[in-house]
Amino acid sequence: MNKKEIAEIKKNFNGDSGLFTLNRVVMAYINSDTEVKCRENKLFASVPEEEAEVVYETLKKALSGSRGKNLTEYAFPNESYEEGGAQNIFYKAMKSKLEDEEAVDAAIDRIRKNYRCESVYCIMMAHCTYSVMSKDKNDDITELDDNVYNFIITALCPMNTNTDGLFYNADTDTIEKKDNTQLIISRAPIDGFLYPVFSDRAPDANHVLYYTKTPKKPSLTMIEDVLDCSFTMTADSEKEKFQQVLGEVAGDELDYTVITRVNEIIKDVVAQNTSETEPTMIDDTRLRSILSDAGVSSERLEGLSAAYNSAVGEDSKGFTATNLVENKTVVSTSEITINIGKDATEKLRTGVIQGRKCLIIDLDDPSIKVNGFDASVETPLTVQ
């Protein structure tokens, strides 16, 4: 699913959309021994209004965040469609519209036996339908299509007890501490998935959209053990690999100017492709051009292919451009940290003055503040 397709489903994921229907909802409480202690499967129309709002809110959060960070599409391996495989199990549950109790039990069991959570949790799974609208070549909606997109969306929500602090007890006319001993299902799922994905105005049963609340720490048990998929790099991992390649290639040429120039070029690449539905990728060819434009010498660029392949592999599509961009520039030493605004990188320079390595900041406005006080900068610079 590209970002426009995700946005389309998310936009219509509510009770007011005439194109979307939430049909059934399954909820299962999984205890610390990975046992199902409570399980409900009911028509969503029978859910009281206040509860229904919570279900909508919780499930919709499994579509939140950005593609490539919170949301990642994975392809099922071929064997996953065989009996007992993840694709086979979730396909049967979806195809039955969560009405086949045996298929639903198999889906719940697949999750509870393989997923690892730091707390007890609730599995919330719903079957939904979306009436697909046709689009023309300009991506404008034209008319209602005959196709109906059936899918299941699942949210895994931690459960815990909350201490509600102090409250006024009207019966005793006192202020007391209120303790809650009931398990509360969090409205913010930590993991989830949508299956099948919505691609090119139709369902794609060979792919699943995984959601994580924490892009820096996605659940490997969810990706690899529950969904049968092969984990790909997180946004932070991509940035680390990119920094590794840049350091190896540029070497002693990697100074303030090169670093900030590379960042500016990649920001421009992202800005030029904002209308694209697929993420903009930086492969080795594009990276070579970026580094050359940033001032890295041709001699240093000779080692790019080896460093790139070592970091991400020869078959990689490249780095996701948006994951590489730094929105602010931070220059730091062991004793000093300088935060530089996005339009002020050229106002800082590095250099050697009378044998000492220095940071030089150009001031368009000569007034500065030090600890809240207006400070003078009129004294001529001398370096000992």
Side-chain angles (χ1 to χ4, degrees), residues 256 340-348:
Y256 174 82
I340 304 167
K342 62 179 181 179
D343 297 322
T345 54
E346 293 182 358
K347 294 179 181 179
L348 185 144

Side-chain angles (χ1 to χ4, degrees), residues 49-72:
E49 184 176 351
E50 290 186 356
E51 292 181 27
E53 290 177 0
V54 175
V55 172
Y56 263 124
E57 177 187 344
T58 304
L59 290 173
K60 191 172 183 177
K61 284 181 179 175
L63 291 172
S64 61
S66 57
R67 190 180 188 275
K69 292 185 178 179
N70 304 84
L71 297 166
T72 306

Side-chain angles (χ1 to χ4, degrees), residues 122-331:
C122 173
I123 300 172
M124 188 180 296
M125 180 182 293
H127 173 265
C128 311
T129 53
Y130 174 62
S131 298
V132 181
M133 300 289 287
S134 296
K135 288 189 176 183
D136 59 23
K137 61 182 180 180
N138 296 320
D139 209 29
D140 294 325
I141 291 177
T142 55
E143 59 184 9
L144 188 65
D145 203 326
D146 293 332
N147 294 327
V148 174
Y149 168 46
N150 283 276
F151 65 94
I152 54 174
I153 186 167
T154 302
L156 305 186
C157 306
M159 301 173 64
N160 50 60
T161 57
N162 288 336
T163 300
D164 295 329
L166 300 178
F167 79 110
Y168 171 68
N169 188 331
D171 295 330
T172 61
D173 199 27
T174 57
I175 294 176
E176 303 172 357
K177 183 174 182 293
K178 183 177 181 181
D179 292 321
N180 175 33
T181 59
Q182 294 181 322
L183 284 168
I184 298 176
I185 300 172
S186 172
R187 298 189 184 195
I190 51 177
D191 290 291
F193 65 90
L194 176 145
Y195 175 76
V197 300
F198 181 60
S199 179
D200 294 329
R201 319 304 297 158
D204 176 0
N206 294 317
H207 291 80
V208 60
L209 186 69
Y210 165 68
Y211 164 80
T212 177
K213 182 182 177 182
T214 54
K216 293 182 180 180
K217 294 180 64 177
S219 171
L220 292 183
T221 61
M222 186 69 190
I223 297 167
E224 297 180 343
D225 300 328
V226 175
L227 297 177
D228 267 350
C229 299
S230 297
F231 173 68
T232 58
M233 282 195 295
T234 64
D236 280 356
S237 295
E238 279 198 277
K239 185 173 289 187
E240 289 174 6
K241 294 289 187 182
F242 174 72
Q243 291 172 345
Q244 174 188 326
V245 173
L246 188 55
E248 288 183 14
V249 173
D252 56 6
E253 295 181 7
L254 191 63
D255 58 13
Y256 174 82
T257 302
V258 169
I259 294 170
T260 54
R261 180 63 182 144
V262 166
N263 191 54
E264 290 300 319
I265 294 173
I266 296 177
K267 284 170 67 175
D268 289 342
V269 169
V270 172
Q272 292 165 8
N273 292 276
T274 52
S275 61
E276 297 296 322
T277 56
E278 293 295 331
T280 301
M281 307 303 291
I282 306 292
D283 59 14
D284 58 341
T285 301
R286 194 171 219 167
L287 182 56
R288 182 181 299 277
S289 175
I290 290 171
L291 297 187
S292 177
D293 290 346
V296 178
S297 67
S298 56
E299 291 78 13
R300 300 294 315 188
L301 289 175
E302 291 178 3
L304 175 62
S305 295
Y308 176 90
N309 291 335
S310 175
V312 299
E314 294 183 13
D315 298 327
S316 171
K317 295 180 180 179
F319 297 106
T320 307
T322 54
N323 292 343
L324 308 182
V325 171
E326 297 286 359
N327 294 317
K328 64 178 181 179
T329 301
V330 179
V331 178

Side-chain angles (χ1 to χ4, degrees), residues 318-374:
F319 297 106
T320 307
T322 54
N323 292 343
L324 308 182
V325 171
E326 297 286 359
N327 294 317
K328 64 178 181 179
T329 301
V330 179
V331 178
S332 61
T333 69
S334 59
E335 299 175 331
I336 300 171
T337 299
I338 303 172
N339 291 291
I340 304 167
K342 62 179 181 179
D343 297 322
T345 54
E346 293 182 358
K347 294 179 181 179
L348 185 144
R349 292 170 289 134
T350 60
V352 178
I353 301 176
Q354 296 181 10
R356 299 186 66 179
K357 296 179 180 179
C358 299
L359 292 174
I360 304 105
I361 302 174
D362 297 329
L363 299 177
D364 293 335
D365 181 354
S367 62
I368 64 171
K369 287 184 179 292
V370 178
N371 294 339
F373 294 96
D374 291 327

